Amino acid sequence: MTVVVVTGTGVVCSIAADLVEFATALRAGNCGINSRPDMVSDPMRPWLAADLPEWNFARRLTESASSSALHPAVPEIARRAAGRAPVGVQMSVVVAMQAWAQARLAVHPVDPERVAVIVAGHNLNGSSAAIAAERHARSPVHLSPRYALQFMDTDHVATVSEVLGVRGEGCTVGGASASGNVAIVHACRMIAADAADACLVIGAMSDLSAAERQAFYNLGVMAGAVSRSDPLRRCRPFDVKREGFVPGAGAACLVLESAASAARRGVEALARIAGSAIGLDGNSLADPTVAGEVSVMRRALARARLRPGQVDYVNAHATASVLGDVVELAALDEVFGADGRPWLNSTKGLTGHCLSAAGLVEAVATVVQLREGFVHPNRNLEEPLASRCRLTGSSAVPARLRVAVSNGFGFGGFNSSVVFTDAA
């Protein structure tokens, strides 16, 4: 059986510009959620978001140019390939470069034809598409010809492959908010099938348009647009007073490779993918089911050859939605309640819901906590929903973690679960 390990990680989100900042922010329980005007449809109406504090692609490339773990030409190639790309593509490039450097793929390379790229997400460029539509309505001839490439989600794959010289397989995969986990599962299958030795798995930023954001509001799953209290207190996973998710800007990357490839290259394995599962509810609506979530967790653990009582920690999907949190806690209680009480938290309370990228952002968070021996706080958890799991409170908890489960559940009945273990 092929053993798949994590050898590189990268992340950019509302609470961090790189892995070091991310680990510090997780431990501190920092929150990136704030309110800002809706400059597209109603400048007088504030809405909640976990935005990037600032984004300067040129600065990110300058910082990466000092890394001895990247080929010196990479930052300049990135500037040419993505300097005028949408922010989401630029973020994919940056997190891929971070993970590539940590995995030391420039220092101890893999045959470029044996490296793959999988990007998690679909309909990633909603805001850019809306802007392009407005420009086309005003003056069709002034629409950039580059948009013919940029409106496609595959532009993330192509640009990353150009920057890092990847010549193996590439694709995008989607599973709504479970997309990140779906991409991890497909990367593991690709490696197990000997189609690649290593794979960059990228969770790309979902750049919501005003219409997409309003649709989430109208569906009743997003926290209210009119702020009635401190924005930092509005996202409440697992809390009785939760009101919905807050969209987060974020991207993340894992380098996955076979343990044999990592050993040949002499690089450290950060964690191991021990098991995983994907399943559908047979339901096109935004109504999660306990049975579907229980099924993927149990199948992922069975494939990892682990019992529920051996799990130390669960990074829950928990978006702070009214229905979703209740269903997930019921599923967790059914899987773990009798055999163990794993620590439980939700990274979305800190970063917001990064949508298609959520699974990868939370996979990086899971690896960080496994390696550094702590469980990050559950922000704003004041009146917890009943559960037999151990919900962390307002402070990080030191913990010896060896086995962790990361869940991802998406609208339309997309269920997924990935089991990580320490690299020992």
mmCIF file of all heavy atoms in Angstrom, residues 271-300:
data_model
loop_
_atom_site.group_PDB
_atom_site.id
_atom_site.type_symbol
_atom_site.label_atom_id
_atom_site.label_comp_id
_atom_site.label_asym_id
_atom_site.label_seq_id
_atom_site.Cartn_x
_atom_site.Cartn_y
_atom_site.Cartn_z
ATOM 1 N N ALA A 271 3.499 15.068 8.188
ATOM 2 C CA ALA A 271 2.332 14.305 8.650
ATOM 3 C C ALA A 271 2.048 13.252 7.593
ATOM 4 O O ALA A 271 2.635 13.255 6.505
ATOM 5 C CB ALA A 271 1.120 15.211 8.848
ATOM 6 N N ARG A 272 1.130 12.353 7.911
ATOM 7 C CA ARG A 272 0.757 11.289 6.986
ATOM 8 C C ARG A 272 -0.742 11.333 6.742
ATOM 9 O O ARG A 272 -1.523 11.603 7.667
ATOM 10 C CB ARG A 272 1.160 9.936 7.576
ATOM 11 C CG ARG A 272 0.907 8.747 6.667
ATOM 12 C CD ARG A 272 1.627 7.509 7.196
ATOM 13 N NE ARG A 272 1.023 6.998 8.411
ATOM 14 C CZ ARG A 272 0.103 6.028 8.458
ATOM 15 N NH1 ARG A 272 -0.330 5.473 7.337
ATOM 16 N NH2 ARG A 272 -0.377 5.618 9.611
ATOM 17 N N ILE A 273 -1.154 11.102 5.498
ATOM 18 C CA ILE A 273 -2.566 10.938 5.188
ATOM 19 C C ILE A 273 -2.884 9.465 5.396
ATOM 20 O O ILE A 273 -2.495 8.606 4.604
ATOM 21 C CB ILE A 273 -2.899 11.341 3.743
ATOM 22 C CG1 ILE A 273 -2.364 12.743 3.423
ATOM 23 C CG2 ILE A 273 -4.406 11.260 3.515
ATOM 24 C CD1 ILE A 273 -3.045 13.857 4.152
ATOM 25 N N ALA A 274 -3.573 9.156 6.485
ATOM 26 C CA ALA A 274 -3.788 7.758 6.863
ATOM 27 C C ALA A 274 -5.036 7.160 6.235
ATOM 28 O O ALA A 274 -5.126 5.946 6.042
ATOM 29 C CB ALA A 274 -3.869 7.632 8.381
ATOM 30 N N GLY A 275 -6.029 7.990 5.934
ATOM 31 C CA GLY A 275 -7.269 7.493 5.359
ATOM 32 C C GLY A 275 -8.164 8.651 4.950
ATOM 33 O O GLY A 275 -7.977 9.783 5.410
ATOM 34 N N SER A 276 -9.138 8.357 4.103
ATOM 35 C CA SER A 276 -10.047 9.420 3.648
ATOM 36 C C SER A 276 -11.283 8.793 3.035
ATOM 37 O O SER A 276 -11.297 7.608 2.689
ATOM 38 C CB SER A 276 -9.352 10.319 2.617
ATOM 39 O OG SER A 276 -8.953 9.559 1.486
ATOM 40 N N ALA A 277 -12.318 9.604 2.901
ATOM 41 C CA ALA A 277 -13.555 9.138 2.275
ATOM 42 C C ALA A 277 -14.357 10.320 1.756
ATOM 43 O O ALA A 277 -14.316 11.416 2.325
ATOM 44 C CB ALA A 277 -14.401 8.328 3.258
ATOM 45 N N ILE A 278 -15.063 10.088 0.658
ATOM 46 C CA ILE A 278 -15.993 11.053 0.067
ATOM 47 C C ILE A 278 -17.321 10.337 -0.152
ATOM 48 O O ILE A 278 -17.339 9.162 -0.531
ATOM 49 C CB ILE A 278 -15.492 11.581 -1.287
ATOM 50 C CG1 ILE A 278 -14.096 12.202 -1.164
ATOM 51 C CG2 ILE A 278 -16.469 12.602 -1.875
ATOM 52 C CD1 ILE A 278 -13.470 12.534 -2.511
ATOM 53 N N GLY A 279 -18.430 11.023 0.070
ATOM 54 C CA GLY A 279 -19.737 10.417 -0.183
ATOM 55 C C GLY A 279 -20.791 11.474 -0.434
ATOM 56 O O GLY A 279 -20.668 12.611 0.041
ATOM 57 N N LEU A 280 -21.803 11.119 -1.180
ATOM 58 C CA LEU A 280 -22.922 12.010 -1.482
ATOM 59 C C LEU A 280 -24.145 11.642 -0.651
ATOM 60 O O LEU A 280 -24.341 10.480 -0.298
ATOM 61 C CB LEU A 280 -23.276 11.931 -2.966
ATOM 62 C CG LEU A 280 -22.221 12.427 -3.952
ATOM 63 C CD1 LEU A 280 -22.630 12.087 -5.375
ATOM 64 C CD2 LEU A 280 -22.008 13.934 -3.811
ATOM 65 N N ASP A 281 -24.968 12.640 -0.391
ATOM 66 C CA ASP A 281 -26.236 12.413 0.309
ATOM 67 C C ASP A 281 -27.374 12.076 -0.648
ATOM 68 O O ASP A 281 -28.461 11.697 -0.199
ATOM 69 C CB ASP A 281 -26.647 13.669 1.090
ATOM 70 C CG ASP A 281 -25.963 13.770 2.445
ATOM 71 O OD1 ASP A 281 -25.542 12.725 2.974
ATOM 72 O OD2 ASP A 281 -25.856 14.892 2.956
ATOM 73 N N GLY A 282 -27.147 12.253 -1.967
ATOM 74 C CA GLY A 282 -28.274 12.115 -2.886
ATOM 75 C C GLY A 282 -29.281 13.211 -2.670
ATOM 76 O O GLY A 282 -30.494 12.984 -2.668
ATOM 77 N N ASN A 283 -28.788 14.446 -2.500
ATOM 78 C CA ASN A 283 -29.630 15.578 -2.134
ATOM 79 C C ASN A 283 -29.015 16.837 -2.717
ATOM 80 O O ASN A 283 -27.864 17.158 -2.426
ATOM 81 C CB ASN A 283 -29.717 15.677 -0.605
ATOM 82 C CG ASN A 283 -30.446 16.924 -0.131
ATOM 83 O OD1 ASN A 283 -31.163 17.566 -0.893
ATOM 84 N ND2 ASN A 283 -30.253 17.273 1.126
ATOM 85 N N SER A 284 -29.754 17.564 -3.551
ATOM 86 C CA SER A 284 -29.207 18.743 -4.212
ATOM 87 C C SER A 284 -29.333 20.022 -3.396
ATOM 88 O O SER A 284 -28.892 21.083 -3.836
ATOM 89 C CB SER A 284 -29.913 18.955 -5.558
ATOM 90 O OG SER A 284 -31.285 19.257 -5.360
ATOM 91 N N LEU A 285 -29.898 19.931 -2.204
ATOM 92 C CA LEU A 285 -30.162 21.129 -1.404
ATOM 93 C C LEU A 285 -29.044 21.394 -0.397
ATOM 94 O O LEU A 285 -28.041 20.691 -0.349
ATOM 95 C CB LEU A 285 -31.508 20.975 -0.694
ATOM 96 C CG LEU A 285 -32.712 20.752 -1.614
ATOM 97 C CD1 LEU A 285 -33.973 20.541 -0.794
ATOM 98 C CD2 LEU A 285 -32.875 21.916 -2.586
ATOM 99 N N ALA A 286 -29.241 22.434 0.417
ATOM 100 C CA ALA A 286 -28.261 22.800 1.445
ATOM 101 C C ALA A 286 -28.646 22.194 2.785
ATOM 102 O O ALA A 286 -28.577 22.844 3.820
ATOM 103 C CB ALA A 286 -28.169 24.318 1.555
ATOM 104 N N ASP A 287 -29.067 20.929 2.762
ATOM 105 C CA ASP A 287 -29.550 20.257 3.967
ATOM 106 C C ASP A 287 -28.631 19.080 4.302
ATOM 107 O O ASP A 287 -28.776 17.989 3.734
ATOM 108 C CB ASP A 287 -30.977 19.728 3.759
ATOM 109 C CG ASP A 287 -31.963 20.843 3.442
ATOM 110 O OD1 ASP A 287 -31.732 21.971 3.906
ATOM 111 O OD2 ASP A 287 -32.949 20.575 2.737
ATOM 112 N N PRO A 288 -27.680 19.264 5.208
ATOM 113 C CA PRO A 288 -26.769 18.166 5.556
ATOM 114 C C PRO A 288 -27.505 17.073 6.317
ATOM 115 O O PRO A 288 -28.551 17.308 6.924
ATOM 116 C CB PRO A 288 -25.733 18.855 6.443
ATOM 117 C CG PRO A 288 -26.465 20.012 7.048
ATOM 118 C CD PRO A 288 -27.422 20.487 5.992
ATOM 119 N N THR A 289 -26.937 15.870 6.291
ATOM 120 C CA THR A 289 -27.547 14.752 6.998
ATOM 121 C C THR A 289 -26.542 14.122 7.950
ATOM 122 O O THR A 289 -25.350 14.027 7.649
ATOM 123 C CB THR A 289 -28.040 13.660 6.031
ATOM 124 O OG1 THR A 289 -26.918 13.026 5.400
ATOM 125 C CG2 THR A 289 -28.958 14.247 4.969
ATOM 126 N N VAL A 290 -27.027 13.681 9.089
ATOM 127 C CA VAL A 290 -26.184 12.991 10.057
ATOM 128 C C VAL A 290 -25.639 11.706 9.446
ATOM 129 O O VAL A 290 -24.442 11.386 9.568
ATOM 130 C CB VAL A 290 -26.975 12.688 11.350
ATOM 131 C CG1 VAL A 290 -26.138 11.815 12.295
ATOM 132 C CG2 VAL A 290 -27.389 13.981 12.042
ATOM 133 N N ALA A 291 -26.489 10.964 8.741
ATOM 134 C CA ALA A 291 -26.074 9.677 8.182
ATOM 135 C C ALA A 291 -24.917 9.831 7.197
ATOM 136 O O ALA A 291 -23.962 9.038 7.208
ATOM 137 C CB ALA A 291 -27.262 8.998 7.494
ATOM 138 N N GLY A 292 -25.002 10.841 6.333
ATOM 139 C CA GLY A 292 -23.942 11.051 5.354
ATOM 140 C C GLY A 292 -22.616 11.410 5.998
ATOM 141 O O GLY A 292 -21.550 10.929 5.579
ATOM 142 N N GLU A 293 -22.662 12.248 7.037
ATOM 143 C CA GLU A 293 -21.436 12.669 7.707
ATOM 144 C C GLU A 293 -20.843 11.532 8.533
ATOM 145 O O GLU A 293 -19.619 11.347 8.574
ATOM 146 C CB GLU A 293 -21.719 13.913 8.554
ATOM 147 C CG GLU A 293 -22.139 15.096 7.682
ATOM 148 C CD GLU A 293 -22.390 16.379 8.459
ATOM 149 O OE1 GLU A 293 -22.107 16.405 9.678
ATOM 150 O OE2 GLU A 293 -22.864 17.357 7.842
ATOM 151 N N VAL A 294 -21.707 10.769 9.185
ATOM 152 C CA VAL A 294 -21.235 9.605 9.935
ATOM 153 C C VAL A 294 -20.539 8.623 9.001
ATOM 154 O O VAL A 294 -19.467 8.075 9.303
ATOM 155 C CB VAL A 294 -22.409 8.922 10.668
ATOM 156 C CG1 VAL A 294 -22.000 7.535 11.171
ATOM 157 C CG2 VAL A 294 -22.881 9.781 11.836
ATOM 158 N N SER A 295 -21.127 8.399 7.842
ATOM 159 C CA SER A 295 -20.597 7.421 6.896
ATOM 160 C C SER A 295 -19.177 7.749 6.463
ATOM 161 O O SER A 295 -18.297 6.873 6.479
ATOM 162 C CB SER A 295 -21.508 7.336 5.671
ATOM 163 O OG SER A 295 -20.958 6.476 4.704
ATOM 164 N N VAL A 296 -18.917 9.008 6.086
ATOM 165 C CA VAL A 296 -17.563 9.316 5.595
ATOM 166 C C VAL A 296 -16.539 9.267 6.729
ATOM 167 O O VAL A 296 -15.404 8.829 6.521
ATOM 168 C CB VAL A 296 -17.505 10.670 4.863
ATOM 169 C CG1 VAL A 296 -18.247 10.604 3.545
ATOM 170 C CG2 VAL A 296 -17.994 11.832 5.715
ATOM 171 N N MET A 297 -16.906 9.698 7.925
ATOM 172 C CA MET A 297 -15.956 9.615 9.036
ATOM 173 C C MET A 297 -15.608 8.167 9.350
ATOM 174 O O MET A 297 -14.431 7.816 9.553
ATOM 175 C CB MET A 297 -16.506 10.335 10.269
ATOM 176 C CG MET A 297 -16.431 11.851 10.185
ATOM 177 S SD MET A 297 -16.859 12.686 11.740
ATOM 178 C CE MET A 297 -18.643 12.767 11.604
ATOM 179 N N ARG A 298 -16.619 7.299 9.378
ATOM 180 C CA ARG A 298 -16.361 5.890 9.689
ATOM 181 C C ARG A 298 -15.552 5.217 8.596
ATOM 182 O O ARG A 298 -14.637 4.421 8.881
ATOM 183 C CB ARG A 298 -17.686 5.174 9.924
ATOM 184 C CG ARG A 298 -18.289 5.498 11.282
ATOM 185 C CD ARG A 298 -19.582 4.766 11.528
ATOM 186 N NE ARG A 298 -20.005 4.932 12.927
ATOM 187 C CZ ARG A 298 -21.238 4.720 13.368
ATOM 188 N NH1 ARG A 298 -22.183 4.311 12.528
ATOM 189 N NH2 ARG A 298 -21.531 4.904 14.645
ATOM 190 N N ARG A 299 -15.838 5.543 7.338
ATOM 191 C CA ARG A 299 -15.083 4.921 6.252
ATOM 192 C C ARG A 299 -13.644 5.425 6.219
ATOM 193 O O ARG A 299 -12.714 4.654 5.944
ATOM 194 C CB ARG A 299 -15.780 5.179 4.914
ATOM 195 C CG ARG A 299 -17.002 4.293 4.713
ATOM 196 C CD ARG A 299 -17.538 4.380 3.303
ATOM 197 N NE ARG A 299 -18.268 5.621 3.069
ATOM 198 C CZ ARG A 299 -18.018 6.458 2.075
ATOM 199 N NH1 ARG A 299 -17.026 6.227 1.236
ATOM 200 N NH2 ARG A 299 -18.762 7.533 1.917
ATOM 201 N N ALA A 300 -13.437 6.720 6.500
ATOM 202 C CA ALA A 300 -12.073 7.251 6.534
ATOM 203 C C ALA A 300 -11.261 6.579 7.637
ATOM 204 O O ALA A 300 -10.090 6.215 7.439
ATOM 205 C CB ALA A 300 -12.101 8.763 6.739
#
